[in-house]
Amino acid sequence: MQKEITIKEFTAELIQRIDTEKGIDCCKEEIKKFAVMAAAKMPDDKILVNWKE
């Protein structure tokens, strides 16, 4: 079932899933869509990351 939700709802659900250690495999396509949107709307904004190689 497809359902249109706000970015606020999506990110809240994603953060909740991460915080409760639920898998995020269910959201792979949506995470990719979100990444494309973020790159388009915030291309030069900075984020602090713990980079792992």
Side-chain angles (χ1 to χ4, degrees):
M1 173 179 89
Q2 287 192 329
K3 177 172 130 177
E4 188 172 60
I5 62 173
T6 65
I7 295 297
K8 184 177 180 178
E9 291 170 318
F10 175 72
T11 55
E13 174 66 20
L14 188 57
I15 291 167
Q16 185 269 331
R17 292 186 72 80
I18 292 167
D19 286 346
T20 59
E21 298 182 13
K22 288 185 178 178
I24 58 171
D25 286 345
C26 63
C27 310
K28 283 183 180 182
E29 289 304 312
E30 291 79 4
I31 292 169
K32 289 191 319 191
K33 287 179 189 177
F34 178 67
V36 168
M37 289 176 67
K41 294 182 183 223
M42 305 179 293
D44 298 318
D45 286 10
K46 304 283 184 186
I47 184 170
L48 184 61
V49 298
N50 292 318
W51 201 263
K52 297 179 183 178
E53 302 219 12

